[in-house]
Amino acid sequence: MIVLGMESSCDETSAAVIRFEGGRREILSNIVASQIEIHRLYGGVVPEIASRAHIEAVSGITYRALEEAGVTLSDVGCVAVTSHPGLIGALLVGVNFAKSLAFSHGIPLVAVNHVKAHVAAAYLEEPTLEPPFLALVISGGHTSFYRVDSYTDFCEIGGTRDDAAGEAFDKIGRVIGMPYPAGAAMDKLAYEGNPSAVKLPSPALVGETLDFSFSGLKTSALNYINGQRQKGIEPSHEDLTASYTKVIVDAIVKKTDAALRQTGAKTLVLAGGVAANSHIRHGLEVLCEKHGVRFCKPSLSLCSDNAAMVAAAGYFEYLDGNFADTSLNASALD
Ligand code: KG4
Ligand code: ZN
């Protein structure tokens, strides 16, 4: 079956065409129109601007995805669209476009949870991957552990109580002059500094809980930068970034260790934009090796927001018969 996936929950408009045949999943196209350049000027995503940019891009992107895949709408067996969570105005663009497309062409429509879609990216590259497993989603909006019981049933077993890891990287990156989003640049810069140079608090909450809090870490790093600047010193960006990255990686590894022990999971799936972070990938690789756990991490192009992952999640909603009708609405919340 051919699935057309559509994603517009934040600042990427994306459409993808995936062919599912037996156990095979083939990405025929995965077009992503990023708005990063537009939002960079403001140091973060401006929701109203994002909605307008999605409106401008959505139609062209969708037809490009079909064209590149060499299919037409009559070949499409299911339209899958991200309906939640995300920026409400941005989500509404994708949802309404997908609804119109599906119902005007008589194609079944399914609604997809963006976080589940990040996890489903793993199915596209790991044909033998099957639930149950433990998933860790780290993105601009999420830092959460899920016990994935089936292709469509997830249970959140821990996560951040305030900011997400991606936000934490972006915020401090911005303060030291990096353009938005700073995650990838901080990843590189962290190799240049001393990870023990700056003392920072761990975002891992104390005890057996699988929860994090990144707000205290962000404030400590800000206070350190401001304190140094008040003395007329510009702190070493390399040392700060290396130290900041180290406490984040250590916290993620520590809580993943606890999550693996608590769930007895034999497979860990890493997902979300921050899953592209090479330090986190390495730390989790070492941890999984130690536990003899299979570690599935998507390639970088499938970590950040894209519609191929939405099509993958949508396929399993379709198999479960979870169809949406014209009453489908977007929701900002999980
Ligand atoms: O999943 P995503 O594309 O969008 C959301 O659903 O939030 O994640 C975007 C986040 C941004 O905060 C960005 O800075 C971060 O992913 N990111 C990274 C890296 N690449 C992207 N963070 C750390 N290291 C990276 N290499
Ligand atoms: Zn995302």
Side-chain angles (χ1 to χ4, degrees):
M1 185 178 66
I2 301 270
V3 180
L4 170 67
M6 304 200 57
E7 159 64 35
S8 71
S9 67
C10 190
D11 58 349
E12 260 103 28
T13 322
S14 181
V17 177
I18 312 289
R19 179 185 283 130
F20 295 87
E21 228 165 48
R24 287 190 56 221
R25 295 123 197 199
E26 193 185 349
I27 302 177
L28 302 181
S29 63
N30 188 18
I31 312 287
V32 181
S34 175
Q35 305 172 6
I36 280 176
E37 291 303 327
I38 308 172
H39 298 292
R40 194 160 272 164
L41 191 61
Y42 309 96
V45 178
V46 183
E48 174 65 21
I49 294 175
S51 310
R52 287 166 189 259
H54 283 304
I55 290 171
E56 282 168 17
V58 69
S59 178
I61 286 292
T62 306
Y63 286 100
R64 247 184 77 198
L66 291 167
E67 198 180 354
E68 195 169 292
V71 301
T72 65
L73 278 171
S74 58
D75 300 313
V76 174
C78 170
V79 176
V81 64
T82 303
S83 63
H84 66 291
L87 301 172
I88 188 66
L91 286 163
L92 279 167
V93 176
V95 165
N96 284 311
F97 187 85
K99 271 206 292 198
S100 314
L101 200 67
F103 292 111
S104 61
H105 290 81
I107 306 169
L109 177 72
V110 297
V112 168
N113 175 307
H114 181 79
V115 181
K116 286 184 174 176
H118 270 300
V119 174
Y123 297 126
L124 294 170
E125 294 182 319
E126 305 267 356
T128 59
L129 175 66
E130 279 177 17
F133 55 78
L134 173 71
L136 168 59
V137 180
I138 28 180
S139 71
H142 286 81
T143 308
S144 302
F145 288 108
Y146 297 90
R147 207 187 58 223
V148 178
D149 297 323
S150 78
Y151 289 103
T152 51
D153 292 325
F154 286 44
C155 176
E156 186 169 358
I157 55 171
T160 180
R161 297 198 185 165
D162 39 55
D163 307 319
E167 253 175 286
F169 278 120
D170 292 342
K171 173 74 192 212
I172 294 306
R174 183 170 146 186
V175 174
I176 59 171
M178 289 174 175
Y180 170 84
M186 289 195 79
D187 187 348
K188 274 206 199 99
L189 194 66
Y191 287 102
E192 313 284 322
N194 171 5
S196 319
V198 185
K199 228 183 130 34
L200 294 165
S202 169
L205 292 184
V206 178
E208 275 301 286
T209 167
L210 301 177
D211 288 354
F212 301 92
S213 165
F214 288 90
S215 66
L217 168 64
K218 249 171 56 178
T219 307
S220 282
L222 271 177
N223 287 345
Y224 171 76
I225 296 166
N226 292 336
Q228 293 291 99
R229 285 180 179 167
Q230 273 162 15
K231 290 186 222 156
I233 305 164
E234 182 58 22
S236 155
H237 294 182
E238 290 82 0
D239 284 352
L240 175 70
T241 303
S243 305
Y244 194 72
T245 301
K246 183 172 185 335
V247 286
I248 292 178
V249 174
D250 286 352
I252 287 173
V253 169
K254 181 177 168 187
K255 290 301 175 189
T256 307
D257 191 356
L260 286 170
R261 277 189 283 106
Q262 286 176 28
T263 58
K266 292 278 161 274
T267 303
L268 171 69
V269 170
L270 180 64
V274 184
N277 186 278
S278 61
H279 309 270
I280 295 174
R281 285 166 98 89
H282 176 71
L284 292 177
E285 214 153 67
V286 172
L287 177 76
C288 286
E289 234 171 75
K290 190 178 102 191
H291 284 287
V293 162
R294 177 180 176 186
F295 182 34
C296 300
K297 49 184 191 314
S299 47
L300 299 193
S301 62
L302 289 178
C303 285
S304 52
D305 290 349
N306 68 87
M309 67 185 198
V310 178
Y315 174 67
F316 295 109
E317 297 294 345
Y318 174 92
L319 292 184
D320 271 9
N322 296 330
F323 299 111
D325 60 25
T326 44
S327 68
L328 175 66
N329 204 351
S331 162
L333 304 175
D334 265 324

